[in-house]
Amino acid sequence: IEGSTFSDNAQDGVYLSSDSGLDTSGAGPTFTGNVMTGNGNYPMTVNANHVGEVDGTCSFTGNGTDAIRVLPVVVSATQTWQAQDVPYLITGDVKIQGLSMPIVTVEDGAVLEFLPGAGLDVGVDSYGSLSASGSVLGITFTSSSASPAPGDWDGITLGDICNDAATILEGVTIEYGGANGFANLHFSGCSGTISGSTVRHSSAWGIYRSTASPVIASVYYEGNALGDLF
């Protein structure tokens, strides 16, 4: 789907159910140059394994709720989640893992908002990695609430089957998580890297390490209920 307009619909402009997807046969994203506006609900709903097919050339503003709703399925394919003109709204636990050892790269400038009970699990049950470099614009992982509070969402868990070398968070802000009982960012056996980042307003710890020796450099902490680093 490319160069198309989806407007003035009662519900979403485009809705892909959890067992549907976008064309993955191209060399890059295949949902390109589209405009979604004036729709009564979300501009687009897509499952997590096909977010990488949505190109940054699209426009998603002027709808009932200006966010790309992401359904919680396993992300089993290596892909890049591009920065868009609206946030991604994560609606449940998204797991990045699979025998293909998927790596999800989050583009500089992207904003990921999480509903209550939602979180991001990387390499917990099978191989998987997360690379997020916000060295210029920054990348934000945050609450979806209009009045955010600590514990609004679970947080990010980096499991013991992650690729340590490929799991790098740089220039990110992780805030208002901790509902998983550990932290905004839980290194659970994964010895990845976080640097030049902000970790704040967790209902538990800011960063929690379980049998892991991650690289932690130049991290700013603020308002984490149990402390900054465990």
Side-chain angles (χ1 to χ4, degrees), residues 44-152:
M44 184 177 193
T45 294
V46 60
N47 73 62
N49 201 35
H50 288 270
V51 169
E53 294 300 313
V54 182
D55 193 68
T57 57
C58 298
S59 175
F60 298 95
T61 60
N63 302 278
T65 301
D66 279 338
I68 298 171
R69 179 166 52 178
V70 178
L71 301 181
V73 303
V74 172
V75 180
S76 58
T78 292
Q79 57 190 270
T80 297
W81 290 17
Q82 295 190 34
Q84 307 291 347
D85 58 359
V86 299
Y88 293 107
L89 179 65
I90 314 299
T91 59
D93 281 328
V94 170
K95 296 185 176 184
I96 301 170
Q97 61 186 40
L99 295 180
S100 65
M101 303 182 184
I103 300 174
V104 169
T105 299
V106 181
E107 190 176 68
D108 192 10
V111 176
L112 282 70
E113 298 181 347
F114 293 79
L115 287 175
L120 189 61
D121 295 341
V122 182
V124 173
D125 302 314
S126 185
Y127 307 100
S129 302
L130 174 66
S131 176
S133 179
S135 55
V136 178
L137 300 173
I139 295 168
T140 303
F141 301 87
T142 190
S143 164
S144 63
S145 174
S147 301
D152 275 353

Side-chain angles (χ1 to χ4, degrees), residues 26-40:
T30 54
F31 192 87
T32 60
N34 300 303
V35 176
M36 335 284 281
T37 191
N39 301 293

